[in-house]
Amino acid sequence: MSILLTGGAGYIGSHTCVELLNAGYDVVVVDNYVNSQPEALRRVETITGKKVTAYEADVCDKAAMDAIFAKEKIEAVIHFAGLKAVGESVAEPLMYYRNNLDSTLTLVETMVKYGCKRIVFSSSATVYGAPDFSPVPETARLGCSNPYGWTKYMIEQILRDWAAAQKDVSVVLLRYFNPVGAHPSGLIGENPNGRPNNLMPNVLNAASGKVKELKVFGGDYDTPDGTCVRDYIHVVDLAKGHVCALKYAAEHTGSEAINLGTGVGYSVLDIINSFERSTGVKVPYVITERRPGDVPSYYANPEKAAKLLNWHTEKTLDDMCRDSWAFKSKNPNGYEA
């Protein structure tokens, strides 16, 4: 029996592949390589010494999904596949709603056909919108500020409704905060297409000289050093959270939304200082005007994950920065030769 990872060649998916294989699971990946590359899976095999069964297909393709489920004995699904750029979702909302919702509906309909009743969904802290307070618990008010976030919100609701209607179904909704870092081997890591939106890839570009300097949006927020505070989580810790969620799904039915974060808020300047300390590399930066929509402080309450999944983060901020730089240094052009 195998675990199906949709979008399993992506940043979080590839790291989760490693942790699943190391935990003794058989892994099947389906990915259309829009936001990823097959090379990531070859490197997963190098790291683990184990085989990854992979299919190049779009999860929206009913025939392709049917063929995969017919051939492979799928025990459970971890659903990573989906478009994920916030800015692009604002510019192309219909594309995001069509792709992200269609892929989920096609996947779940295929799961129903083949009697697969366990799914772990890659959700996001974006479902909290602009939270009123931190740390943010799972019971916080939900609401989104962009189409990407709304697709996560809607998929959560689809899966909750399915679990409510079918009492033997198990759904775990993992709400990530800010994944950073890379595998300690330096073989797999974050490889964003085009111009990155997230902080760490921009830190790496400034540190490597790819751009002149890092732009820090706002230095006058009501935070300890005036810059925005976020909850950054090492991608390996995050990947291990999926293994814990899979075990939980095997033993429980119904649906649960669970935060995956450290519960600690780090500012932009904290990240820069940690990066310089852990790597010995300077990060040129300039503080500019605030970016519209940014919340001053935003970090997780991870108590539910500790209670239900017996999951805790282990990696430090220095680990996150050091491992990010190791991957960037070994792969200056990402997975391209």
Side-chain angles (χ1 to χ4, degrees), residues 82-101:
L83 300 175
K84 61 178 185 177
V86 170
E88 184 181 54
S89 80
V90 174
E92 300 283 352
L94 298 183
M95 180 174 72
Y96 268 68
Y97 287 118
R98 171 65 71 186
N99 182 83
N100 291 3
L101 299 184

Side-chain angles (χ1 to χ4, degrees), residues 49-99:
K50 297 180 180 180
K51 176 68 176 173
V52 177
T53 300
Y55 293 89
E56 182 173 358
D58 193 318
V59 183
C60 295
D61 185 337
K62 290 185 178 182
M65 295 305 295
D66 189 84
I68 292 167
F69 271 81
K71 185 175 181 180
E72 307 289 346
K73 294 181 179 179
I74 304 299
E75 179 181 3
V77 175
I78 303 181
H79 184 28
F80 295 107
L83 300 175
K84 61 178 185 177
V86 170
E88 184 181 54
S89 80
V90 174
E92 300 283 352
L94 298 183
M95 180 174 72
Y96 268 68
Y97 287 118
R98 171 65 71 186
N99 182 83

Side-chain angles (χ1 to χ4, degrees), residues 12-333:
I12 301 170
S14 59
H15 287 81
T16 302
C17 275
V18 170
E19 298 306 322
L20 287 170
L21 290 167
N22 286 342
Y25 291 94
D26 294 321
V27 171
V28 175
V29 168
V30 56
D31 203 305
N32 63 4
Y33 303 118
V34 168
N35 289 314
S36 59
Q37 291 181 303
E39 176 63 22
L41 297 179
R42 288 191 283 270
R43 296 186 183 195
V44 166
E45 293 177 336
T46 298
I47 291 168
T48 63
K50 297 180 180 180
K51 176 68 176 173
V52 177
T53 300
Y55 293 89
E56 182 173 358
D58 193 318
V59 183
C60 295
D61 185 337
K62 290 185 178 182
M65 295 305 295
D66 189 84
I68 292 167
F69 271 81
K71 185 175 181 180
E72 307 289 346
K73 294 181 179 179
I74 304 299
E75 179 181 3
V77 175
I78 303 181
H79 184 28
F80 295 107
L83 300 175
K84 61 178 185 177
V86 170
E88 184 181 54
S89 80
V90 174
E92 300 283 352
L94 298 183
M95 180 174 72
Y96 268 68
Y97 287 118
R98 171 65 71 186
N99 182 83
N100 291 3
L101 299 184
D102 264 11
S103 59
T104 301
L105 290 168
T106 299
L107 172 64
V108 175
E109 287 168 354
T110 310
M111 291 174 66
V112 170
K113 179 177 178 179
Y114 287 90
C116 183
K117 299 176 180 179
R118 282 177 270 165
I119 185 169
V120 176
F121 174 54
S122 169
S123 191
S124 168
T126 56
V127 299
Y128 297 120
D132 301 319
F133 57 89
S134 285
V136 182
E138 291 82 357
T139 52
R141 175 184 54 82
L142 301 182
C144 307
S145 58
N146 56 74
Y148 162 75
W150 281 118
T151 66
K152 294 294 188 183
Y153 177 98
M154 292 174 184
I155 292 168
E156 283 197 8
Q157 191 61 50
I158 289 167
L159 295 176
R160 273 195 291 264
D161 289 344
W162 179 40
Q166 304 294 327
K167 301 303 181 184
D168 56 350
V169 164
S170 181
V171 169
V172 182
L173 312 168
L174 297 180
R175 294 173 178 166
Y176 312 157
F177 278 68
N178 295 269
V180 295
H183 191 269
S185 66
L187 288 175
I188 59 172
E190 189 169 11
N191 184 39
N193 288 340
R195 185 177 179 180
N197 294 311
N198 299 332
L199 176 60
M200 186 59 76
N202 283 297
V203 169
L204 296 172
N205 283 343
S208 65
K210 190 171 183 178
V211 298
K212 180 183 176 182
E213 58 196 6
L214 171 71
K215 290 184 178 180
V216 177
F217 297 107
D220 57 352
Y221 286 100
D222 185 17
T223 60
D225 62 23
T227 64
C228 287
V229 169
R230 295 291 182 269
D231 190 330
Y232 297 94
I233 175 173
H234 197 294
V235 67
V236 171
D237 281 333
L238 188 64
K240 289 179 178 178
H242 291 76
V243 180
C244 295
L246 206 56
K247 293 175 181 176
Y248 179 87
E251 299 169 356
H252 300 82
T253 57
S255 61
E256 287 287 352
I258 302 174
N259 288 339
L260 291 186
T262 64
V264 179
Y266 296 107
S267 73
V268 177
L269 296 185
D270 286 335
I271 295 287
I272 294 170
N273 292 334
S274 173
F275 186 93
E276 293 183 343
R277 179 174 63 248
S278 61
T279 67
V281 179
K282 296 294 290 183
V283 180
Y285 71 90
V286 60
I287 295 178
T288 65
E289 294 182 356
R290 293 185 181 191
R291 186 169 54 183
D294 275 347
V295 178
S297 185
Y298 191 2
Y299 54 96
N301 180 333
E303 292 176 1
K304 189 174 182 180
K307 180 179 179 181
L308 296 188
L309 306 183
N310 193 29
W311 173 86
H312 304 83
T313 57
E314 299 173 352
K315 303 284 189 175
T316 67
L317 187 59
D318 282 6
D319 293 330
M320 300 177 207
C321 294
R322 187 185 308 110
D323 291 342
S324 295
W325 182 243
F327 176 74
K328 179 70 171 180
S329 299
K330 293 181 179 180
N331 306 274
N333 297 312

